[in-house]
Amino acid sequence: MPAEIINGQQLAKELRDNMREEIVQLKETGLTPHLTVILIGDDPASHSYVKGKEKASAEVGISSNIIRLNADLSEQELLNKIVELNQDDHVHGILVQLPLPNHIDEQKVIETIDPAKDVDGFHPINIGRMIVGQDAFLPCTPYGIIQMLKSKNIVIEGKHVVVIGRSNIVGKPMGQLLLNENATVTYCHSRTNDLKSITNQADILIVAIGKANIIDSSYVKEGAAVIDVGVNRNTDGKLTGDVDFEDVKQKASFLTPVPKGVGPMTITMLLANTIKAAKGLNKG
Ligand code: GUN
């Protein structure tokens, strides 16, 4: 039987419908969640991602603004801007779109954001809280993937999960969140020996490599759940994942498509984090 497709767009819509209702109620108490996005330079992919975040925010009733800055601004100017936003009570969530120009230290920027406004979940304080299992802002892509697995009642506890990719944004936090759900986690990456022998042991396979269609069914155990985090453009400009969809569909039990898979869920969890930030800051 071919795999059941996990429709991230549909799940995202359901979650956003609930958020819209919650925000109507928050607004009645005088609280409108607000997200500020800082976008530096003119990278087309970053512009497109930020546009998506702005549109999704508006759809659920989150107010947002984008601060567009030239790529030649100094690191100190950017840090000053973040400090200003940290001190602005109307701003609940701050997101600095990555990547940054080479002359700006990304880690310094992330660590300047108030952890209580860090809706990306990239600040070391939030990462540390996540690791020890405390309440934290969770990085949006891994957080969204956990929601996708749970939406299909895919058992995580006790299962062998293999994560391919070890970025700070996806791979590393993904493994940690799955560990928190009592999975047995293996990380694979570009230096892994005999990748295929490891991925073939995976009950759940998370693929975050960044190369189009590289994972075919020979990497997949019969009946595995496969999550494709890849966002690639193939030669004819079409969006495609890291997984060879048609091939893996014949072997997996669950599979996420690209597009309409993980992507819409990433943005949805950003909205969830912004609402959480608004409620949290309002309390204090
Ligand atoms: N660039 C690519 N993905 C992300 C993300 O999730 N957050 C930020 N801030 N920048 C990104």
Side-chain angles (χ1 to χ4, degrees), residues 36-56:
T36 293
V37 177
I38 298 181
L39 175 60
I40 300 158
D42 47 18
D43 176 53
S46 289
H47 275 256
S48 155
Y49 288 141
V50 165
K51 214 173 253 171
K53 290 168 185 178
E54 185 184 33
K55 184 163 167 265

Side-chain angles (χ1 to χ4, degrees), residues 38 46 49 53 95-99 120 122 140-141 169 266:
I38 298 181
S46 289
Y49 288 141
K53 290 168 185 178
L95 183 149
V96 180
Q97 186 67 25
L98 306 177
D120 260 328
F122 293 168
C140 301
T141 299
I169 294 182
T266 294

